[in-house]
Amino acid sequence: MRAFLRLLLFLVICIGLVFIACFVSRTGWFNGLFQPSLTATNNTEVKIEEIVPADGLHPVVADYTEKLIEEAGAIGISILITDGYRTPEEQDRLYQKGRDQNGRIVTNAKGGQSYHNFGLAIDFALLDEDGEPLWDIAYDGNKNGEPDWFEVAELAKELGFEWGGDWANFTDYPHLQMTFGYSIEELQHAQIEFEESELP
């Protein structure tokens, strides 16, 4: 009888271990114990000298962008980053759209007036089932009854991004930015100081 109970206990333990292994494999819970998680950028200190001059997306913003893509994918939403760092010249060309160029106005920021120009902003779009980008804010590709666009925006805000969809004066649904507490004026001033320091 004791031998039977030992065998039964052994089988229960084995089944339990198999169940735990399956759970860990499917959820990635074990990895989370040893991999440092990204903290919200509200708690991330970035010196302005680490931002200016910019020649690409800031590394912290790039890391959180990848995290956003992963988290969106985990709930069945595929997104495409359509824009990141822009030069002031590229910003000026974008500013002209809807003004002296055909199309609608897409930005109120001239060159040097956008967080894109300092590598602190991205734009995103959704990807449909065929992998084609779309900007339909009502699209529900993961069929959970919630617009995918707003689900992505909430994930982004949880990661520390500011969302242009929350702006009252100029709603910009594709836009996400991390300012690290710096205003555009402060960044512009730092850019001027840097350029002056580079003069012979």
Side-chain angles (χ1 to χ4, degrees):
M1 184 66 178
R2 288 183 178 178
F4 174 76
L5 290 176
R6 289 196 194 98
L7 178 61
L8 183 61
L9 179 61
F10 176 76
L11 290 174
V12 169
I13 292 172
C14 288
I15 293 171
L17 290 174
V18 169
F19 175 80
I20 292 171
C22 290
F23 173 80
V24 167
S25 175
R26 290 176 65 88
T27 63
W29 177 82
F30 188 76
N31 290 337
L33 292 177
F34 299 97
Q35 294 178 356
S37 60
L38 294 170
T39 56
T41 55
N42 292 335
N43 298 324
T44 302
E45 291 187 10
V46 175
K47 295 180 180 179
I48 201 164
E49 294 83 5
E50 298 171 0
I51 300 173
V52 178
D55 59 1
L57 204 59
H58 190 279
V60 174
V61 179
D63 286 343
Y64 278 93
T65 298
E66 290 301 317
K67 184 71 172 175
L68 177 62
I69 294 171
E70 292 174 8
E71 292 195 3
I75 59 173
I77 302 174
S78 297
I79 63 173
L80 173 70
I81 305 304
T82 59
D83 210 349
Y85 169 74
R86 292 188 204 124
T87 65
E89 293 75 21
E90 290 170 332
Q91 187 70 36
D92 280 333
R93 287 195 292 271
L94 195 63
Y95 178 81
Q96 296 307 322
K97 286 189 176 181
R99 292 181 170 87
D100 60 7
Q101 296 178 9
N102 293 331
R104 65 180 183 85
I105 292 176
V106 295
T107 182
N108 283 333
K110 296 180 180 180
Q113 297 177 349
S114 169
Y115 283 103
H116 281 284
N117 305 147
F118 298 96
L120 303 182
I122 60 171
D123 292 340
F124 76 94
L126 302 175
L127 292 174
D128 64 16
E129 295 177 352
D130 298 321
E132 295 296 322
L134 73 161
W135 287 264
D136 180 0
I137 63 173
Y139 179 75
D140 182 21
N142 63 357
K143 306 294 191 296
N144 68 347
E146 299 289 336
D148 291 357
W149 203 286
F150 291 90
E151 289 188 85
V152 174
E154 286 304 314
L155 289 174
K157 288 192 284 187
E158 289 173 6
L159 290 171
F161 283 100
E162 297 174 23
W163 179 42
D166 289 330
W167 297 344
N169 295 332
F170 186 84
T171 306
D172 190 355
Y173 288 108
H175 184 89
L176 298 168
Q177 66 185 33
M178 289 186 173
T179 69
F180 303 108
Y182 297 112
S183 68
I184 286 293
E185 290 75 16
E186 288 173 314
L187 294 169
Q188 289 172 331
H189 181 69
Q191 180 68 35
I192 292 170
E193 286 189 335
F194 171 78
E195 291 173 356
E196 289 177 347
S197 70
E198 293 294 296
L199 293 175

